[in-house]
Amino acid sequence: EPEVTQTPSHQVTQMGQEVILRCVPISNHLYFYWYRQILGQKVEFLVSFYNNEISEKSEIFDDQFSVERPDGSNFTLKIRSTKLEDSAMYFCASSEAVGYTFGSGTRLTVV
Amino acid sequence: SQQGEEDPQALSIQEGENATMNCSYKTSINNLQWYRQNSGRGLVHLILIRSNEREKHSGRLRVTLDTSKKSSSLLITASRAADTASYFCASDPPGTYKYIFGTGTRLKVLA
């Protein structure tokens, strides 16, 4: 069964550093998403991406965040200057139309 | 209250019993999905139910949707210890490019 692949599975970074989280969506999917889940809390929407542009973003997705589809297969989330409160599990998802397939997540720890 | 609230927050049952989790949402929706998440792990898609559907089955899972009450329920029949996980509903309001997740129900099935 096709999968959404996320790398790395766990990243530790110093506060103020830039991080890039990587995702390889399912190949024929057209819609891409990032969500995050702070430990013990609900899953929160960050951004959706279609046709090489952002379709929608949440209030969380401020100027410190950006997304990119640098080639035909990768979809990345960049956090420019990480804060302690960015520590969370970050999930990438893709879809063809309705219904998502999620990746297994990247656990980001900001120290 | 928020779009996507679930009750109970936690549920503990004996193996073999049925587990019912409920989800309420605030706005109209296109679709509603249920996900399972094992502790600290990724989100596993269980069932998608469209707004014009009332009930859907998949193996031991039964999902109902009542759009007049803006609620959905997930029933797991003949539960097993391996069903121990958190269960989330996620709904997508029309005109948006996102799913809004509920707060989740933590299910514990005792062997």
Side-chain angles (χ1 to χ4, degrees), chain B residues 34-45:
Chain B
W34 283 90
Y35 287 88
R36 185 184 74 224
Q37 184 181 38
N38 289 78
S39 181
R41 310 292 293 274
L43 295 157
V44 176
H45 179 254

Side-chain angles (χ1 to χ4, degrees), chain A residues 35 37 42 48 56 89, chain B residues 2 37 40 97-99 101:
Chain A
Y35 285 74
Q37 185 182 32
K42 64 194 294 186
S48 56
E56 187 168 351
M89 183 79 96
Chain B
Q2 303 170 43
Q37 184 181 38
Y97 297 91
K98 65 187 178 191
Y99 274 86
F101 278 76

Side-chain angles (χ1 to χ4, degrees), chain B residues 49-63:
Chain B
I49 187 166
R50 297 175 189 265
S51 60
N52 61 353
E53 297 176 312
R54 292 297 165 256
E55 189 170 311
K56 212 160 180 182
H57 296 253
S58 176
R60 294 184 296 113
L61 307 180
R62 181 173 79 104
V63 167

Side-chain angles (χ1 to χ4, degrees), chain B residues 65-107:
Chain B
L65 180 65
D66 186 336
T67 52
S68 67
K69 294 180 180 177
K70 293 187 170 61
S71 68
S72 175
S73 67
L74 170 67
L75 168 68
I76 303 174
T77 59
S79 62
R80 305 167 183 166
D83 294 328
T84 294
S86 291
Y87 292 82
F88 295 90
C89 67
S91 56
D92 67 328
T96 70
Y97 297 91
K98 65 187 178 191
Y99 274 86
I100 301 173
F101 278 76
T103 48
T105 293
R106 293 187 310 280
L107 173 67

Side-chain angles (χ1 to χ4, degrees), chain A residues 32-93:
Chain A
F32 313 110
Y33 311 86
W34 284 101
Y35 285 74
R36 80 172 186 190
Q37 185 182 32
I38 294 171
L39 186 64
Q41 298 188 24
K42 64 194 294 186
V43 178
E44 301 173 291
F45 168 76
L46 292 178
V47 65
S48 56
F49 191 86
Y50 170 73
N51 201 24
N52 284 321
E53 59 182 34
I54 290 174
S55 309
E56 187 168 351
K57 60 183 181 180
S58 71
E59 313 81 57
I60 303 168
F61 194 88
D62 61 21
D63 293 344
Q64 293 300 311
F65 290 86
S66 62
V67 289
E68 196 176 34
R69 189 153 161 80
D71 52 44
S73 59
N74 290 286
F75 179 52
T76 62
L77 174 70
K78 182 193 290 187
I79 309 175
R80 287 191 185 79
S81 177
T82 49
K83 308 182 188 94
L84 294 175
E85 53 265 36
D86 293 327
S87 294
M89 183 79 96
Y90 287 81
F91 293 106
C92 172

